[in-house]
Amino acid sequence: MKKNKRVTIYDLANELGISASYVSRALNNHPGISEKMKQMVQLKAQALNYRHNTNAANLRKGASSTIGVIVPKINENFFSNAIAGIEEACTEHQHHLIICQSDESYEKEVAAVQKLINLNVDCIIISVSAETSRFKHLEEIMHNNIQLVQFDRTAEVINSCKVENDTRDAARQAVLHLLAKGYKRIAYIGGPEQLPTFRDRKEGFLSAMEAADIVVPWNYIVGNVLTKEKGIAVAMDLLQLKNPPDAIVTVTDYVALGVLQAAGQLGITVPDQLGVFGFANEIFAELISPGLSSVEQHAKVMGRRAADCYFEGKEAGTEVIKCEVLVRRTTK
Amino acid sequence: MKKNKRVTIYDLANELGISASYVSRALNNHPGISEKMKQMVQLKAQALNYRHNTNAANLRKGASSTIGVIVPKINENFFSNAIAGIEEACTEHQHHLIICQSDESYEKEVAAVQKLINLNVDCIIISVSAETSRFKHLEEIMHNNIQLVQFDRTAEVINSCKVENDTRDAARQAVLHLLAKGYKRIAYIGGPEQLPTFRDRKEGFLSAMEAADIVVPWNYIVGNVLTKEKGIAVAMDLLQLKNPPDAIVTVTDYVALGVLQAAGQLGITVPDQLGVFGFANEIFAELISPGLSSVEQHAKVMGRRAADCYFEGKEAGTEVIKCEVLVRRTTK
DNA sequence: CTGAAAGCGCTTACAG
DNA sequence: CTGAAAGCGCTTACAG
């Protein structure tokens, strides 16, 4: 009768002349409750507009049937697809998903971790920000008995489940393709090197060049560039060297976009005078002209596997998802 | 000492020789607690690795300082920008944000609403799915004393705060531009018409055509097309009519993409033989070639305003954010 | 099969 | 300024 007062299992119990415990069990589908009673309780719950109180249940249970996911940007194709995979698994296993974005900020990432710990989530799936080079917050997750799963951008020192791409090989393949097409002076614009995935790509790049007996000038290697804007600036420098590169490998399609734009400004034609490789196969990669050669990371599969690590109770170990080099028109 | 046992304010209170109530107040920065004591409690909390239990606090308070947001797709530029605006406001007001996507499914949207009600969020900000034509779940939000704010795709019959674009005018402007450039046989591929924003765009389109004294053939108007795939199919039909259109206005850039692709397949050149207008100004709009004429909706501002409606305690009323017609190269 | 009771961890009137 | 106590709504041993 009171306005704004939440209907509780006690209200249902009173109306039905049974105990609250019984109502709880009926609502939660416990064995040893007759179908008839379950239905009665359900009906009454609907009639009174009863709402299960998640906070109360989580408090009592000390768990929440919830996975928290933290990614740098929800609107990058790679991450939103990974989230789609995680969501799929959550739906199947009747878990909730809470999505956070760090916006590539270490500070925001730490705040998101704190929030999820406080919320008592059962598992945190994370792909770390570009800024993140200390990982105490990841340790704290585990100290609070929350399962940690890392994917794509992982912290090497943290011993959790990890789902990664074989990005080393992808970078190698990209270089091999460029070499086969006659490019020789290949530059590399990389990512933040505290993260293995970016270190691996660089290694893949360097090893392929070395295997081809090509000396890479020191200034052909640039690090920590993940945005289009930085990509433009770096490419402007590279392309105006005395001995400029004839191809550039990048670690995201956004940087590749910057390279293309810089080339355009300098009147350098792609792919004839310059080959360009992106990474992550963003939606626009196949739409722009010329189509951007890139790497498909199978993000949805990665997300799916990351969630499954939790649902399967896997505590540690690394899974590797193969990625695919997609040759389009920014390379001959 | 016990393993896996959460540290509580009682543990802090015991260690410090004060009461739990005092600890709670110190942690929550209540007035009338000396700075010295606050610091002591903070330090002890850190030393014991104390974690505030959100579930317990929410249960006790009957509120959660949390906003839930439900959008059709987190990876569409419009929605991820809107979320960025909401996040900004949440950060300023020390609120949490829980992000859900309906994936354009009515069923998933209802499930998300239930979940957020059960979680006791204080406010739900929603942009409804393309499938949604019944709105009982939105009423339920309000019946549970949760503030409802709708944006962009709103339900007319639900009397909540709303943040909308003047999409009617945007559609009018787009048509006026096409007419000025000499296009005359203009077709319209619209969205689900139970939602005002799509009805408005169609009205804007029709009124501009009528004002120009142009009769629009019945089969130039198509409804409920939001994906690239459907866009291709519909455009294929339109462009192979006996008397095909010389311009097509769409309601999302993805559909426009489909139209461009269909035109390509049929050997129809853009913008000479066909003008194309998108909507929403996706990232790829300015990247593809020719650049896609589209409409900028100022999504971040919309998200920001939607959140502010809640923070300002506004119960109802509609705010209109002006959008901007961007002419690129898919129109002369 | 069913119920009474305790307790999850917090906050907040109430009292001093 | 400080504390004792109640209670948010649920679930789950425990007992029958």
Side-chain angles (χ1 to χ4, degrees):
Chain A
M1 283 301 117
K2 276 176 221 147
K3 227 171 69 177
N4 299 353
K5 185 71 180 54
R6 205 169 175 123
V7 176
T8 72
I9 51 171
Y10 282 88
D11 299 324
L12 299 185
N14 283 337
E15 291 257 339
L16 292 165
I18 56 180
S19 74
S21 350
Y22 198 85
V23 171
S24 172
R25 284 191 275 250
L27 252 20
N28 288 304
N29 230 324
H30 276 226
I33 305 256
S34 71
E35 281 308 315
K36 205 176 285 180
M37 281 306 273
K38 282 183 191 166
Q39 291 217 344
M40 272 198 57
V41 174
Q42 286 290 1
L43 278 176
K44 184 57 82 178
Q46 293 202 356
L48 298 192
N49 192 28
Y50 165 80
R51 299 287 170 172
H52 181 256
N53 187 323
T54 306
N55 289 308
N58 290 353
L59 171 59
R60 172 57 226 252
K61 288 192 296 192
S64 60
S65 301
T66 299
I67 291 181
V69 57
I70 306 174
V71 295
K73 297 267 187 197
I74 55 173
N75 60 334
E76 282 186 22
N77 206 33
F78 173 74
F79 294 116
S80 57
N81 285 336
I83 290 171
I86 297 170
E87 268 187 337
E88 191 182 274
C90 281
T91 305
E92 276 174 33
H93 293 270
Q94 322 227 60
H95 269 59
H96 294 134
L97 182 63
I98 294 183
I99 303 166
C100 306
Q101 58 181 337
S102 64
D103 209 15
E104 299 285 13
S105 145
Y106 169 70
E107 204 183 331
K108 284 193 189 175
E109 181 176 300
V110 171
V113 166
Q114 303 303 350
K115 163 178 149 178
L116 293 175
I117 292 176
N118 291 353
L119 274 171
N120 234 321
V121 298
D122 299 328
C123 168
I124 293 179
I125 299 178
I126 194 169
S127 195
V128 129
S129 91
E131 272 183 30
T132 306
S133 54
R134 282 166 299 151
F135 305 105
K136 191 152 160 283
H137 57 304
L138 301 189
E139 279 170 18
E140 281 183 25
I141 292 171
M142 298 192 287
H143 287 163
N144 283 276
N145 301 309
I146 295 170
Q147 177 153 3
L148 173 64
V149 181
Q150 301 186 72
F151 75 99
D152 188 49
R153 300 204 203 155
T154 59
E156 213 161 18
V157 294
I158 302 293
N159 184 31
S160 72
C161 267
K162 291 172 191 165
V163 180
E164 297 174 351
N165 279 132
D166 57 341
T167 51
R168 188 197 170 94
D169 195 53
R172 232 187 96 252
Q173 299 289 350
V175 173
L176 292 182
H177 171 75
L178 289 169
L179 292 172
K181 294 297 178 184
Y183 298 101
K184 285 209 161 56
R185 305 192 310 281
I186 311 178
Y188 178 81
I189 306 181
E193 295 195 12
Q194 74 274 21
L195 303 178
T197 184
F198 295 114
R199 232 159 38 223
D200 288 350
R201 293 183 212 182
K202 186 172 163 183
E203 280 177 21
F205 172 85
L206 290 174
S207 72
M209 294 297 277
E210 197 175 327
D213 266 332
I214 297 179
V215 175
V216 182
W218 66 273
N219 50 9
Y220 271 31
I221 303 289
V222 187
N224 202 15
V225 179
L226 291 181
T227 63
K228 181 181 159 193
E229 288 66 32
K230 273 182 138 184
I232 294 175
V234 169
M236 277 300 203
D237 289 348
L238 282 171
L239 295 173
Q240 291 179 95
L241 289 174
K242 236 179 10 205
N243 187 25
D246 61 7
I248 299 182
V249 173
T250 68
V251 292
T252 90
D253 289 345
Y254 286 96
V255 174
L257 218 48
V259 173
L260 292 175
Q261 198 165 312
Q265 279 177 41
L266 296 172
I268 296 171
T269 61
V270 173
D272 290 334
Q273 298 173 45
L274 183 72
V276 179
F277 240 104
F279 211 102
N281 200 21
E282 289 290 335
I283 293 180
F284 62 76
E286 65 166 337
L287 299 177
I288 64 175
S289 175
L292 177 61
S293 296
S294 189
V295 176
E296 167 61 46
Q297 301 180 262
H298 300 299
K300 191 170 177 188
V301 175
M302 290 186 81
R304 175 80 215 200
R305 284 305 307 149
D308 282 343
C309 282
Y310 165 68
F311 289 118
E312 291 164 7
K314 222 178 129 185
E315 293 280 321
T318 301
E319 287 193 34
V320 177
I321 308 292
K322 282 258 162 225
C323 38
E324 240 170 280
V325 171
L326 303 176
V327 175
R328 295 202 181 94
R329 315 304 302 268
T330 54
T331 53
K332 278 179 223 161
Chain B
M1 284 301 116
K2 277 177 220 147
K3 227 171 68 178
N4 298 354
K5 185 73 180 50
R6 206 171 174 121
V7 176
T8 72
I9 52 172
Y10 282 88
D11 300 324
L12 299 184
N14 284 338
E15 291 257 338
L16 291 165
I18 56 178
S19 74
S21 349
Y22 199 84
V23 172
S24 171
R25 284 190 276 248
L27 254 19
N28 288 302
N29 230 323
H30 276 225
I33 306 257
S34 71
E35 280 309 313
K36 206 175 287 180
M37 282 305 274
K38 281 182 192 167
Q39 291 217 344
M40 274 198 55
V41 174
Q42 286 289 1
L43 279 176
K44 184 57 82 180
Q46 293 202 356
L48 298 192
N49 193 28
Y50 165 80
R51 300 286 170 172
H52 181 257
N53 187 321
T54 306
N55 289 308
N58 290 354
L59 171 59
R60 173 58 227 252
K61 288 192 296 192
S64 60
S65 300
T66 299
I67 291 180
V69 57
I70 306 173
V71 295
K73 298 266 187 197
I74 55 174
N75 62 332
E76 282 186 22
N77 205 34
F78 174 74
F79 293 116
S80 58
N81 285 336
I83 289 171
I86 297 170
E87 267 188 336
E88 191 182 274
C90 282
T91 305
E92 276 174 33
H93 293 270
Q94 323 227 60
H95 269 57
H96 293 134
L97 181 63
I98 294 183
I99 303 165
C100 306
Q101 57 182 338
S102 64
D103 208 15
E104 300 286 13
S105 144
Y106 170 70
E107 204 184 332
K108 284 193 188 175
E109 181 174 301
V110 171
V113 166
Q114 303 302 350
K115 162 179 151 179
L116 293 175
I117 292 176
N118 291 353
L119 274 171
N120 234 322
V121 298
D122 299 328
C123 168
I124 293 179
I125 299 178
I126 194 169
S127 195
V128 129
S129 92
E131 272 182 32
T132 305
S133 55
R134 281 166 299 150
F135 305 104
K136 191 151 159 283
H137 57 305
L138 301 189
E139 278 171 19
E140 281 183 25
I141 292 171
M142 299 193 285
H143 286 163
N144 283 275
N145 300 308
I146 296 170
Q147 178 154 2
L148 172 65
V149 181
Q150 301 186 71
F151 76 99
D152 188 49
R153 299 203 205 155
T154 59
E156 213 160 19
V157 293
I158 302 292
N159 184 32
S160 72
C161 267
K162 291 172 192 167
V163 180
E164 297 174 351
N165 278 131
D166 57 340
T167 51
R168 187 197 171 96
D169 196 52
R172 233 187 96 251
Q173 299 289 348
V175 173
L176 292 182
H177 171 74
L178 289 169
L179 292 172
K181 293 298 176 183
Y183 298 102
K184 287 209 161 55
R185 304 191 311 281
I186 311 177
Y188 179 81
I189 306 181
E193 296 196 11
Q194 75 273 22
L195 303 177
T197 185
F198 294 113
R199 229 157 41 220
D200 288 351
R201 294 184 210 181
K202 184 170 163 184
E203 280 177 22
F205 172 86
L206 290 174
S207 72
M209 292 298 276
E210 197 177 327
D213 267 332
I214 297 179
V215 176
V216 181
W218 66 274
N219 48 8
Y220 272 31
I221 303 289
V222 186
N224 203 13
V225 179
L226 291 181
T227 64
K228 182 181 157 192
E229 288 64 34
K230 271 182 137 183
I232 294 175
V234 169
M236 277 301 205
D237 289 347
L238 282 171
L239 296 172
Q240 292 179 93
L241 290 174
K242 235 181 9 207
N243 187 26
D246 61 7
I248 300 183
V249 173
T250 69
V251 292
T252 90
D253 289 344
Y254 286 95
V255 173
L257 220 47
V259 172
L260 292 174
Q261 197 165 312
Q265 279 177 41
L266 297 172
I268 296 171
T269 60
V270 173
D272 290 335
Q273 296 173 46
L274 182 73
V276 179
F277 240 104
F279 211 103
N281 200 22
E282 290 289 334
I283 292 181
F284 61 76
E286 64 166 338
L287 299 176
I288 63 175
S289 177
L292 177 60
S293 295
S294 189
V295 176
E296 168 60 47
Q297 300 180 264
H298 300 298
K300 189 169 177 189
V301 175
M302 289 185 83
R304 174 80 215 201
R305 285 305 308 146
D308 282 344
C309 281
Y310 165 67
F311 289 118
E312 291 165 4
K314 222 179 130 185
E315 294 280 321
T318 301
E319 286 193 36
V320 177
I321 309 291
K322 282 259 162 220
C323 38
E324 240 170 282
V325 172
L326 302 177
V327 175
R328 295 201 181 93
R329 315 305 302 268
T330 52
T331 53
K332 279 181 220 161

